[in-house]
Amino acid sequence: MGGFPEGAPCWADVTLPDLAAGKRFYGALMGWTFDDDAEERYGYYTNAFSGGKRVAALVPKRDGRMPTAWGVYFATPDASGLAVRIRAAGGQLVRDPVQVPPYGTMAVAADPGGAVFGLWQAAGHTGFEKSGEPGSFCWTEVYTRDTAQADRFYEAVFGFEGRDLDGTDDDFRMWSPAGSEPGPDTAFGGRSLMGDTFPAEMPDHFLVYFAVGDCDATAATCADLGGRVTTRPFDMAHGRMAVLSDDQGASFAILQKE
């Protein structure tokens, strides 16, 4: 399972209409390098590296109807068994578990509110080789309009240990792996309420965060590269963050840790 406990975020990828443009954008923004041997039989799935360590992947769209979006994958030792639990808890399988030899087994699911996430049962591809450092994944959270429903689902399916964030006006719940002491020292992500500031047509969704050394400089570079700064840099409890969109429309967040 690559050392990741079940339910821990273990991988992230972005689906894009133009793979070459994505490599230019993220190479300039995050300093990533990329596979030069992506294979046609795997849909030219292209791993990204930071400092020589695997941190994410870029995926060319096979179908124009697919969303241009970042997605997060949760680790599991048994993708088929987890799929059963997802259905029992009111979720659905967008893509049933399928083996991707020799790398592992993947599936794509959606929670009862429609937020999409992946499952990864690792074999040869163990997931992140670097995380929590500049240029790599550091956090994820699901945005939902029904917080009680989301809490029930994820805490039943994955056994997440939840803790509500105190001292703020936001309805935010941190999640830690099953069996751990819930709190900021163990949390890997969380659940956030989609309030009135979100467009009414926006569905429930996951937001993927990447650590950066300088939030303001990274946001400015994103704009220079043709992306958008959808939420300007601001200070929060654990550092300084912003929400960006790449030059093809995929949204993600950046975090400069305190």
Side-chain angles (χ1 to χ4, degrees):
M1 203 168 66
F4 293 93
E6 183 161 44
C10 66
W11 192 241
D13 60 25
V14 62
T15 305
L16 299 169
D18 188 332
L19 176 63
K23 291 167 72 172
R24 289 193 296 271
F25 179 89
Y26 288 102
L29 184 73
M30 305 297 290
W32 290 348
T33 57
F34 303 93
D35 277 339
D36 56 9
D37 58 354
E39 299 181 57
E40 181 178 4
R41 62 176 172 154
Y42 295 121
Y44 295 106
Y45 194 92
T46 300
N47 285 297
F49 301 85
S50 174
K53 296 183 178 180
R54 193 170 52 226
V55 291
L58 276 56
V59 191
K61 284 188 181 184
R62 300 186 306 274
D63 185 330
R65 294 171 295 181
M66 296 174 67
T68 300
W70 275 98
V72 63
Y73 292 76
F74 295 104
T76 178
D78 181 3
S80 295
L82 184 53
V84 171
R85 300 206 305 272
I86 287 169
R87 291 190 175 103
Q92 60 180 313
L93 269 291
V94 178
R95 184 175 184 181
D96 288 328
V98 58
Q99 292 185 358
V100 189
Y103 303 110
T105 300
M106 64 88 67
V108 180
D111 69 20
V116 174
F117 58 93
L119 313 177
W120 184 246
Q121 180 181 333
H125 190 305
T126 55
F128 298 127
E129 294 177 331
K130 174 182 177 180
S131 61
E133 302 175 42
S136 66
F137 171 91
C138 64
W139 186 259
T140 190
E141 57 202 36
V142 62
Y143 282 79
T144 179
R145 290 186 171 85
D146 190 334
T147 57
Q149 175 178 258
D151 291 346
R152 286 193 303 270
F153 175 80
Y154 289 100
E155 291 169 23
V157 168
F158 291 109
F160 289 165
E161 303 287 353
R163 178 175 172 180
D164 294 328
L165 190 64
D166 299 325
T168 73
D169 295 329
D170 298 326
D171 185 351
F172 186 86
R173 189 168 179 83
M174 292 185 295
W175 281 328
S176 300
S180 65
E181 181 67 27
D185 292 340
T186 57
F188 56 75
R191 182 270 300 145
S192 187
L193 173 68
M194 275 202 292
D196 296 338
T197 59
F198 288 83
E201 66 274 11
M202 180 175 285
D204 290 7
H205 62 281
F206 275 89
L207 181 65
V208 173
Y209 285 65
F210 295 101
V212 295
D214 187 325
C215 180
D216 293 78
T218 303
T221 299
C222 175
D224 290 343
L225 292 169
R228 292 191 304 119
V229 180
T230 57
T231 301
R232 295 175 61 84
F234 67 95
D235 293 321
M236 37 86 78
H238 301 288
R240 187 164 177 81
M241 69 164 288
V243 181
L244 312 178
S245 178
D246 69 24
D247 58 347
Q248 299 183 64
S251 294
F252 59 100
I254 56 172
L255 175 64
Q256 177 187 340
K257 296 183 180 182
E258 62 181 1

